């Protein structure tokens, strides 16, 4: 299993909540936040690193640079992480998490090139405030533009009406099942090197997990999870932003529960033709995952454009047209998101990196 090689960094309140759930499963972790009020809501949290002098960033992501710069001890702790995989977790709509995650990703990728840096970004609901959606848009865009990044996991908070804790629970349980799998068989195995390979791919990552159970009508029989159940869980009924219909995928991983065999061809038909298909048997649950997927740019771009349109309407009512020039960066075509060259925020992150030398 690769669990001992995974370290979780929860950023802001939302990221810290997920990080705290990983702590309950004994993962190495840091929880980074500046708001003392936020930290009080997590009484069982361990390894809490407080951004001194910044009791929340009040919606302004740009303040994250100064917060990190003035708390270099936190940066040094992150740079000292020994585990191979570093999973950064934050809410896209917040401030501390969304503001810090891209700086930390840039710094780790630049300073520790041997690490696999992954990110999990929880995207706001469609009816959340304008600034939260703009923050999430910009954060997602910046993460996509870091070529050294590994897997990016985009969580859709609209997946459950008001059950964000349920989303967090499912996310942590699925990733934990992936990280802790040690199933083996004489036929084929989904080994640790293959799991690390999937996590190292620059692209979107999704995972589905379902379990064979006793038939409620006849407990002597087992109700098997079908291939279609797994297809639905991977592409439709899940907690992630929608998979693009572009057929882009690097790797597909399948873990079959004992005596159950998911049809690989059906997964390929639903997701796309990958470079590799990694298969294991005798797992505790049925798992299907895909990495190196095309980024969900259409969904994110539409969210950003809608938020931008609402912002313009709001500003028109206030008759403050002159400040719109600072927001023009959002006026882009969907396909440009993943192709735009290194941004100014990455250069700012490198300023922090140079100060650590």
């Amino acid at each position: 299993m690769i669990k001992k090689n995974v370290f979780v960094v929860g950023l802001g309140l939302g990221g810290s909540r997920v990080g705290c759930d990983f702590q309950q499963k004994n993962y190495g972790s840091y929880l980074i936040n500046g708001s003392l009020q936020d930290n009080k809501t997590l009484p069982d949290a361990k390894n809490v690193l407080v951004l001194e002098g910044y009791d929340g960033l009040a919606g302004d992501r740009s303040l994250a640079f100064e917060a990190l710069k003035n708390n270099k001890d936190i940066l040094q702790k992150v740079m000292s992480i020994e585990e191979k995989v570093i999973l950064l977790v934050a809410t896209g709509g917040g401030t501390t998490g969304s503001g810090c995650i891209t700086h930390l990703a840039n710094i780790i990728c630049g300073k520790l090139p041997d690490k696999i840096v992954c990110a999990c970004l929880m995207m706001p609901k469609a009816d959340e405030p304008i600034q939260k959606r703009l923050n999430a848009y910009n954060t997602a865009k910046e993460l996509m533009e870091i070529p050294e990044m590994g897997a990016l996991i985009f969580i859709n908070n609209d997946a459950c009406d008001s059950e964000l804790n349920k989303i967090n629970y499912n996310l942590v349980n699925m990733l934990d099942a992936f990280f802790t799998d040690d199933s083996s068989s004489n036929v084929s195995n989904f080994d640790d090197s293959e799991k690390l390979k999937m996590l190292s791919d620059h692209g979107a990552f999704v995972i589905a997990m379902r379990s064979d159970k006793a038939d409620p009508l006849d407990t002597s029989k087992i109700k098997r999870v079908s291939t279609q159940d797994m297809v639905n869980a991977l592409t439709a009924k899940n907690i992630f932003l929608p998979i693009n219909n572009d057929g882009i995928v690097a790797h597909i991983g399948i873990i079959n529960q004992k005596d159950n065999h998911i049809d690989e061809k059906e997964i390929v038909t639903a997701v796309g033709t990958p470079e590799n298909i990694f298969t294991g048997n005798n797992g505790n649950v049925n798992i299907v995952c895909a990495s190196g997927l095309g980024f969900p740019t259409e969904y994110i771009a539409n969210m950003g454009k809608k938020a931008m349109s609402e912002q313009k309407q709001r500003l028109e009512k206030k008759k403050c047209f002159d400040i719109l020039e600072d927001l023009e960066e959002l006026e882009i075509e969907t396909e440009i998101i993943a192709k735009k060259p290194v941004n100014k925020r990455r250069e700012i992150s490198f300023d922090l990196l140079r100060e650590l030398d």
Side-chain angles (χ1 to χ4, degrees), residues 43-319:
D44 297 326
K46 299 174 290 185
N47 298 330
V48 177
L49 307 181
V50 179
L51 291 166
E52 298 292 346
Y54 294 87
D55 194 3
L57 303 183
D60 187 353
R61 294 179 66 241
S62 66
L63 295 177
F65 175 79
E66 289 297 323
L68 290 171
K69 182 178 180 180
N70 293 330
N71 288 272
K72 290 191 180 68
D73 58 319
I74 291 179
L75 292 178
Q76 294 290 358
K77 283 181 179 292
V78 173
M79 292 302 103
S80 298
I81 292 173
E82 296 181 354
E83 286 78 0
K84 178 71 173 179
V85 179
I86 300 177
L87 176 63
L88 306 174
V89 186
T91 55
T95 311
T96 302
S98 68
C100 290
I101 191 170
T102 52
H103 285 312
L104 286 182
N106 277 317
I107 292 170
I108 298 170
C109 288
K111 189 77 170 178
L112 306 172
D114 60 322
K115 301 295 185 184
I116 297 174
V117 184
C118 302
C120 178
L121 193 66
M122 293 165 279
M123 303 298 282
K125 297 182 177 182
D127 60 355
E128 290 197 46
I130 294 171
Q131 191 58 55
K132 285 184 177 294
R133 285 176 282 148
L134 292 178
N135 282 349
Y137 174 93
N138 286 314
T139 305
K141 176 171 168 288
E142 290 162 11
L143 287 172
M144 291 177 191
E145 292 173 350
I146 304 175
E148 303 92 345
M149 283 288 295
L152 297 182
I153 304 170
F154 295 97
I155 302 300
N156 183 4
N157 277 349
D158 265 325
C160 296
D161 293 337
S162 59
E163 298 288 335
L164 295 184
N165 288 337
K166 184 177 179 180
I167 292 176
N168 294 348
Y169 174 84
N170 288 333
L171 170 66
V172 173
N173 277 358
M174 286 191 290
L175 290 179
D176 178 59
F178 178 78
F179 295 148
T180 59
D181 171 68
D182 61 356
S183 59
S184 62
S185 74
N186 294 326
V187 180
S188 63
N189 293 297
F190 186 6
D191 63 35
D192 289 355
S193 65
E194 292 166 342
K195 294 184 179 73
L196 293 175
K197 176 63 176 174
M198 291 193 72
L199 293 173
S200 69
D201 277 315
H202 183 61
F205 178 95
V206 295
I207 184 169
M209 181 176 74
R210 293 288 184 272
S211 179
D212 299 343
K213 297 179 181 179
D215 191 326
L217 300 178
D218 185 352
T219 55
S220 65
K221 297 180 179 179
I222 298 296
K223 188 175 182 180
R224 301 290 182 193
V225 172
S226 70
T227 297
Q228 189 59 50
D229 291 333
M230 296 307 295
V231 169
N232 291 342
L234 193 68
T235 63
K237 299 178 181 179
N238 58 42
I239 60 173
F240 308 102
L241 292 190
I243 292 178
N244 288 346
N245 190 29
D246 54 16
I248 297 175
V249 57
H251 309 291
I252 291 175
I254 298 173
I255 300 172
N256 296 307
Q257 199 167 352
K258 187 176 181 180
D259 298 327
N260 192 357
H261 296 279
I262 304 302
D263 188 337
E264 297 176 6
K265 293 180 181 179
E266 291 299 317
I267 302 299
V268 169
T269 299
V271 178
T273 302
E275 177 183 342
N276 290 304
I277 299 179
F278 305 125
T279 305
N281 299 302
N282 296 325
N284 294 321
V285 291
N286 298 286
I287 294 176
V288 175
C289 51
S291 71
L293 292 162
F295 292 124
T297 52
E298 181 177 357
Y299 183 99
I300 296 172
N302 287 339
M303 179 192 70
K305 289 176 180 178
K306 187 173 185 297
M308 182 63 183
S309 175
E310 292 174 18
Q311 182 76 309
K312 285 182 176 180
Q313 292 176 18
R314 186 184 71 84
L315 293 173
E316 285 172 359
K317 291 179 181 179
K318 294 180 65 175
K319 300 186 183 303

Side-chain angles (χ1 to χ4, degrees), residues 10 12-22 31 41-42 164-165 168 172:
L13 178 57
S16 293
R17 283 175 175 162
V18 174
C20 193
D21 287 342
F22 273 109
L31 310 183
T41 67
L42 299 170
L164 295 184
N165 288 337
N168 294 348
V172 173

